[in-house]
């Protein structure tokens, strides 16, 4: 049902019909004029018609300015579309003859005054066309301005004043305790400046929030706006930059002028790296418009003029590209790093986003927080939302751990490729590859814990092994890194031991292992070359980080770096081979179980290692926990065709799970 009608759409729909009606009226008018037969009489012919008593009706119009009468009418015997017209002298004799003829045979006589003598008509005829032309011109001009409002305010600020709608407060920001304390001082200063001034303290003029995407920088700024009882302007860095030089600088000036009129106030600039990048960089020099905008911003923040009571909050995830003049004291005095949340922070964030979610009784946010290291606040919000969508899709009234596991996989790797077909030999290769990772993770004390193993393809991977640290650490030891490399090489090693063949499935593992090994040698000083740093990232602002990596070593040292990297990789590969060969039975047990169940959780793997078998399938309603053999039996009973060739994911889909 249409709830509203767009007036513009209605107008556009009526215009063709109005135009058609005008055309039809014009055609009828022209048709009538062309078919009307007018006989023009001379004065003598008109008098003769009066004397012969032929006149049927006369309409007499006085033209005083031309000293004439205009007579129109019909003669006896005229048709409907016939009439006569005569121009008569302006005299008493003419009127006397017409009146006498009317007294004799009584025809219809009508007289009208001179229309030119009416002041109203004079104004209507002479002034109305000019007014109409001016009105039409104004209408077109206003339409043009309405279609492009920015043509008059091109240099005006695009900053918007925050409203009280959808108000966000510090209660809605979880996991950022220290960061909230830093920005709370701004609000305290705006509310009670004397408390700071009596001790000679000067509140920071600017606060820069930087960190990875999705960690809550913009949300924190929204919370400041919600808590502050002062005007709060927000704008994106890209709103300053335009094609024409000087427009951005004009917008900066206008923004600060508005802020001064409403001081004390806060200004939030999101993605400030769009306008605050280093000046004079890049192959072609600087960008004149962007640099002029940045120069104006620098002047307004801390120049000759004073901007008392105006506090700037900016956010970016690229602090390395910002101009040094922007980061000096007096401009962005305080820089707050908004990092990825730890396990406690993730639990608090999950609690905020789980308020309107219906979770099953067996789900605890503490365990869920432990399973999601490296997730940002945006990732966690997306995780619970995806789980809720899956629960609705499966016609469930609560979100179970099954939906959360699936949602985690979707966030990390993308949706499962249920329709993807690969042979039994490929499934076996993938199963042993992932089982190899799992065995290394189980047998090495410093390796990451195995949380989940699956052979269901997602993204570009035929399967994957979710391994997370047993505890979150600030620094990694050499043993931690070596065992992480060993775990990454477990898949390829299992392929070599079991099949005597290698595949391309380990290319991503090699990429990660090589990166760690090179960092150990060139950056962390964890090799026989000693505690030296040979490489450091100095990425160019415009060329990208990898085009300008500084290298402080000779060709001989480069060869030694390659040898050290090869030694680290070979030692880890040798260790992985020993572990796989020693635990060949466990490898086979996990691989065979993967072929049967396709997905194993941490609890199932621990039970499998301890008891040598999977837990009994007691719950007949939990199809997702059943083996593929059990599912095929159920599919056979329900008469599903080709059930024996289906994967577990396909069987679950056919069984409406």
């Amino acid at each position: 049902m249409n709830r509203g009608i767009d007036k513009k759409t209605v107008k556009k729909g009526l215009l063709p019909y109005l135009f058609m009606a005008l055309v039809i009226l014009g055609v009828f008018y022209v048709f009538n004029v062309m078919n009307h037969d007018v006989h023009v009489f001379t004065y003598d012919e008109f008098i003769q018609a009066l004397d012969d008593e032929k006149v049927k009706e006369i309409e007499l119009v006085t033209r005083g300015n031309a000293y004439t009468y205009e007579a129109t009418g019909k003669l006896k015997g005229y048709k409907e579309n016939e009439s006569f017209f005569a121009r008569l002298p302006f005299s008493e004799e003419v009127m006397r003859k017409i009146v006498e003829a009317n007294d004799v045979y009584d025809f219809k006589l009508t007289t009208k005054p001179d229309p030119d003598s009416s002041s109203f008509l004079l104004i209507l005829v002479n002034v109305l066309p000019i007014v109409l032309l001016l009105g039409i011109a104004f209408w077109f001009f206003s339409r043009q301005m309405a279609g492009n409002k920015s043509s008059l305010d091109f240099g005006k600020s695009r900053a918007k004043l925050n409203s009280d709608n959808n108000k966000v407060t510090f209660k809605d920001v979880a996991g950022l305790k220290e960061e909230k304390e830093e920005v709370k001082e701004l609000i305290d200063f705006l509310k009670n400046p004397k408390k700071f001034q009596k001790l000679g303290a000067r509140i920071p003029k600017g606060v820069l929030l930087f960190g990875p995407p999705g960690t809550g920088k913009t949300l924190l700024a929204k919370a400041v706006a919600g808590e502050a009882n002062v005007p709060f302007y927000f704008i994106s860095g890209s709103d300053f930059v335009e094609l024409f030089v000087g427009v951005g600088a004009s917008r900066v000036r206008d923004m600060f002028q508005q802020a001064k009129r409403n001081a004390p106030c806060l200004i939030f600039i999101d993605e400030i790296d769009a306008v605050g990048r280093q000046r004079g960089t890049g192959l072609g020099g600087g960008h004149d418009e962007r640099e002029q905008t940045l120069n104006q911003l620098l002047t307004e923040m801390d120049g000759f003029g004073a901007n008392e009571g105006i506090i700037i909050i900016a956010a970016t995830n690229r602090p390395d590209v910002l101009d040094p003049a922007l980061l000096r004291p007096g401009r962005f005095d305080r820089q707050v790093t908004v990092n990825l949340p730890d396990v406690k922070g993730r639990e608090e964030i999950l609690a905020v986003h789980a308020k309107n979610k219906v979770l099953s009784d067996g789900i605890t946010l503490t365990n869920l927080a432990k399973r999601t290291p490296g997730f940002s606040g945006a990732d966690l919000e997306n995780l619970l939302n995806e789980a809720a969508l899956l629960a609705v899709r499966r016609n469930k009234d609560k979100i179970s751990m099954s939906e959360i596991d699936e949602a985690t996989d979707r966030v990390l790797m993308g949706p499962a490729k249920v329709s993807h077909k690969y042979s039994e030999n490929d499934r076996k290769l993938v199963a042993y590859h992932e089982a190899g990772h799992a065995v290394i993770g189980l047998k090495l004390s410093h390796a990451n814990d195995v949380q989940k193993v699956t052979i269901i393809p997602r993204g570009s991977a035929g399967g994957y092994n979710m391994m997370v640290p047993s505890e979150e650490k600030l620094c990694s030891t050499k043993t931690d890194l070596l065992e992480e490399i060993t775990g990454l090489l477990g898949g390829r090693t299992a392929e070599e031991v079991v099949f005597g063949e290698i595949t391309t499935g380990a290319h991503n593992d090699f990429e990660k292992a090589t990166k760690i090994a090179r960092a150990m040698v060139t950056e962390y000083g964890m090799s026989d070359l000693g505690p030296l740093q040979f490489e450091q990232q100095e990425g160019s602002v415009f060329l990208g980080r990898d085009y300008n990596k500084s290298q402080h070593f000779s060709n001989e040292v480069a060869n030694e770096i390659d040898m050290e990297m090869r030694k680290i990789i070979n030692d880890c590969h040798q260790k992985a081979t020993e572990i796989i060969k020693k635990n060949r039975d466990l490898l086979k047990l996990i691989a065979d179980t993967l072929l049967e169940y396709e997905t194993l959780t941490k609890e199932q793997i621990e039970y499998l290692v301890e008891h040598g078998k999977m837990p009994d399938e007691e719950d007949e309603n939990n199809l997702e926990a059943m083996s593929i053999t059990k599912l095929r039996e159920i599919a056979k009973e329900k008469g599903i065709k080709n059930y024996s060739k289906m994967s577990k994911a396909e069987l679950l889909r056919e069984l409406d799970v």
Side-chain angles (χ1 to χ4, degrees):
M1 180 177 177
N2 190 2
R3 297 181 181 271
I5 300 176
D6 190 354
K7 294 182 179 180
K8 293 184 178 180
T9 305
V10 173
K11 290 180 180 179
K12 291 181 180 179
L14 291 176
L15 284 177
Y17 296 102
L18 292 174
F19 179 74
M20 187 179 298
L22 291 174
V23 171
I24 293 173
L25 290 174
V27 170
F28 274 112
Y29 175 77
V30 174
F31 181 79
N32 290 332
V33 171
M34 293 180 63
N35 290 338
H36 197 77
D37 190 9
V38 180
H39 303 279
V40 180
F41 287 175
T42 63
Y43 174 73
D44 294 335
E45 290 175 341
F46 175 75
I47 297 298
Q48 186 63 41
L50 284 175
D51 294 340
D52 295 341
E53 299 183 2
K54 294 181 179 180
V55 177
K56 183 178 180 181
E57 61 180 60
I58 295 177
E59 182 180 286
L60 202 63
V61 179
T62 304
R63 295 289 184 181
N65 56 353
Y67 301 103
T68 60
Y69 292 113
E70 291 182 355
T72 58
K74 290 181 178 292
L75 300 183
K76 295 177 180 180
Y78 271 15
K79 298 178 180 178
E80 186 67 27
N81 61 340
E82 281 187 293
S83 64
F84 69 83
F85 173 80
R87 193 177 299 277
L88 311 175
F90 186 74
S91 64
E92 294 182 0
E93 182 181 357
V94 173
M95 286 298 299
R96 181 178 57 78
K97 289 184 177 182
I98 294 174
V99 171
E100 290 178 353
N102 186 37
D103 292 339
V104 173
Y105 55 92
D106 192 21
F107 55 83
K108 184 179 179 181
L109 177 62
T110 305
T111 59
K112 290 185 178 182
D114 187 1
D116 293 338
S117 63
S118 174
S119 59
F120 175 75
L121 188 62
L122 181 65
I123 294 173
L124 192 68
V125 172
N126 295 301
V127 178
L128 184 61
I130 299 175
V131 173
L132 286 175
L133 288 174
L134 291 175
I136 292 172
F138 178 77
W139 181 74
F140 275 109
F141 181 76
S142 59
R143 283 288 299 271
Q144 184 70 18
M145 292 300 100
N148 187 15
K149 294 181 180 179
S150 61
S151 58
L152 292 179
D153 58 354
F154 201 63
K156 298 294 183 181
S157 170
R158 301 287 181 88
K160 299 177 182 179
L161 188 63
N162 186 64
S163 63
D164 291 334
N165 298 330
N166 299 323
K167 190 174 182 180
V168 179
T169 62
F170 284 138
K171 294 180 180 179
D172 302 313
V173 182
L176 299 175
K177 183 177 180 181
E178 291 78 10
E179 291 82 353
K180 285 189 289 186
E181 291 295 331
E182 291 289 325
V183 295
K184 276 182 179 178
E185 285 187 359
L186 306 180
I187 301 172
D188 292 340
F189 175 80
L190 293 171
K191 292 181 178 179
N192 187 15
K194 294 182 180 179
K195 181 175 69 173
F196 295 84
Q197 293 171 354
K198 69 180 182 179
L199 294 179
R202 178 183 60 82
I203 200 70
K205 292 185 177 180
V207 177
L208 179 66
L209 308 175
F210 61 88
T215 51
K217 299 182 293 296
T218 305
L219 181 65
L220 189 61
K222 289 181 180 179
V224 174
E227 295 285 345
N229 293 322
V230 296
F232 185 93
Y233 292 93
F234 60 95
I235 189 173
S236 172
S238 60
D239 287 333
F240 292 111
V241 183
E242 286 287 351
L243 175 66
F244 305 104
V245 177
V247 174
S250 175
R251 290 177 178 174
V252 171
R253 287 192 295 270
D254 186 69
M255 180 181 69
F256 276 88
Q257 287 174 2
Q258 292 182 30
K260 288 176 184 177
R261 290 194 292 266
N262 294 280
C265 67
L266 292 164
I267 299 176
F268 174 60
I269 305 176
D270 199 9
E271 304 297 344
I272 194 173
D273 53 278
V275 69
R277 292 194 172 206
Q278 295 178 20
R279 292 166 289 182
T281 52
L283 293 177
H287 186 292
D288 288 340
E289 160 62 2
R290 185 184 53 76
E291 291 194 0
Q292 285 199 21
T293 306
L294 175 59
N295 291 336
Q296 187 65 45
L297 181 62
L298 296 174
T299 303
E300 294 290 345
M301 289 188 70
D302 188 24
F304 280 102
N307 290 321
E308 295 295 335
I310 301 176
I311 299 175
I312 311 295
I313 303 176
T316 180
N317 49 31
R318 292 291 307 275
D320 55 313
V321 304
L322 296 180
D323 194 272
L326 198 63
L327 303 177
R328 73 158 175 81
R331 292 193 175 115
F332 282 108
D333 305 80
R334 183 171 296 176
Q335 300 174 22
V336 180
T337 304
V338 185
N339 281 323
L340 294 171
D342 57 10
V343 62
K344 184 178 179 181
R346 291 195 299 273
E347 184 177 352
E348 294 174 358
I349 293 171
L350 287 168
V352 171
H353 295 301
K355 287 180 180 178
N356 60 343
K357 306 290 191 303
V358 183
L359 302 177
S360 297
D361 297 334
I363 298 177
T364 60
L365 298 181
T366 303
N367 292 334
L368 187 55
K370 292 178 180 178
R371 294 165 60 97
T372 53
F375 276 53
S376 65
D379 292 332
L380 295 172
E381 190 274 336
N382 188 34
L383 170 65
L384 291 180
N385 184 63
E386 287 287 343
L389 293 175
L390 286 170
V392 173
R393 192 181 305 169
R394 296 172 178 178
N395 298 320
K396 293 185 176 182
D397 56 356
K398 291 184 179 181
I399 302 173
S400 66
M401 201 64 207
S402 174
E403 283 76 43
I404 291 180
D405 281 337
E406 175 67 18
T408 305
D409 295 341
R410 292 172 69 91
V411 172
L412 291 175
M413 304 290 293
K417 296 184 177 180
V418 179
S419 60
H420 183 73
K421 299 290 185 182
Y422 56 98
S423 65
E424 285 298 321
N425 186 50
D426 287 340
R427 289 183 76 244
K428 192 174 182 180
L429 276 169
V430 173
Y432 273 94
H433 181 100
E434 301 303 334
H437 289 302
V439 169
I440 300 296
L442 290 169
K443 295 301 176 181
L444 291 180
S445 58
H446 291 273
N448 294 338
D449 289 341
V450 180
Q451 290 289 333
K452 185 177 182 179
V453 184
T454 180
I455 59 172
I456 298 176
R458 292 179 183 271
S460 59
Y464 80 97
N465 194 315
M466 183 190 296
M467 303 177 69
V468 299
S470 56
E471 59 179 4
E472 297 185 30
K473 301 178 181 179
L474 184 62
C475 298
S476 297
T477 64
K478 182 178 180 180
T479 303
D480 293 336
L481 296 176
L482 290 174
E483 293 196 355
E484 186 176 350
I485 295 174
T486 306
L488 290 169
L489 299 177
R492 165 59 69 85
T493 305
E495 294 175 10
E496 295 173 342
V497 172
V498 176
F499 300 100
E501 186 62 86
I502 57 177
T503 67
T504 59
H507 66 92
N508 186 251
D509 299 331
F510 294 157
E511 180 183 351
K512 295 178 181 177
T514 304
K515 185 176 181 181
I516 296 172
R518 187 168 191 88
M520 290 176 66
V521 177
T522 61
E523 297 180 39
Y524 306 147
M526 295 179 178
S527 69
D528 293 339
L529 294 179
L532 298 174
Q533 188 177 59
F534 298 101
E535 293 178 349
Q536 58 184 359
Q537 301 290 342
E538 293 181 356
S540 174
V541 177
F542 292 100
L543 289 180
R545 293 188 175 100
D546 295 334
Y547 283 90
N548 194 22
K549 182 185 290 186
S550 62
Q551 298 180 346
H552 307 290
F553 50 83
S554 62
N555 292 333
E556 290 78 6
V557 174
N559 182 51
E560 293 182 18
I561 290 173
D562 294 338
M563 293 176 63
E564 288 294 325
M565 288 175 56
R566 189 178 296 112
K567 180 182 177 182
I568 291 173
I569 297 294
N570 289 338
D571 290 346
C572 292
H573 181 253
Q574 181 64 32
K575 188 173 183 179
T577 304
E578 294 174 0
I579 295 173
I580 293 295
K581 288 181 177 180
K582 186 177 180 180
N583 298 276
R584 182 74 177 266
D585 294 338
L586 178 60
L587 177 71
K588 185 177 186 304
L589 177 63
I590 296 177
D592 291 342
T593 309
L594 273 174
L595 291 171
E596 185 72 13
Y597 287 82
E598 290 192 342
T599 300
L600 298 176
T601 64
K602 178 182 179 181
E603 294 77 12
Q604 290 174 330
I605 293 174
E606 291 176 351
Y607 189 92
L608 185 65
V609 172
E610 184 177 354
H611 298 87
K613 64 175 184 177
M614 288 289 287
D616 295 333
E617 298 167 355
E618 297 177 354
D619 189 358
E620 294 294 336
N621 295 321
N622 190 5
L623 298 178
E624 297 172 3
M626 293 182 182
S627 65
I628 192 170
T629 304
K630 185 67 175 177
L631 289 174
R632 285 173 178 170
E633 291 177 1
I634 298 174
K636 181 180 179 181
E637 293 174 358
K638 292 191 175 185
I640 297 175
K641 297 180 179 180
N642 299 323
Y643 65 89
S644 60
K645 297 181 180 180
M646 293 183 182
S647 65
K648 184 175 180 179
E650 291 174 314
L651 288 169
L652 291 173
R653 185 177 60 179
E654 291 295 328
L655 295 171
D656 294 330
V657 177

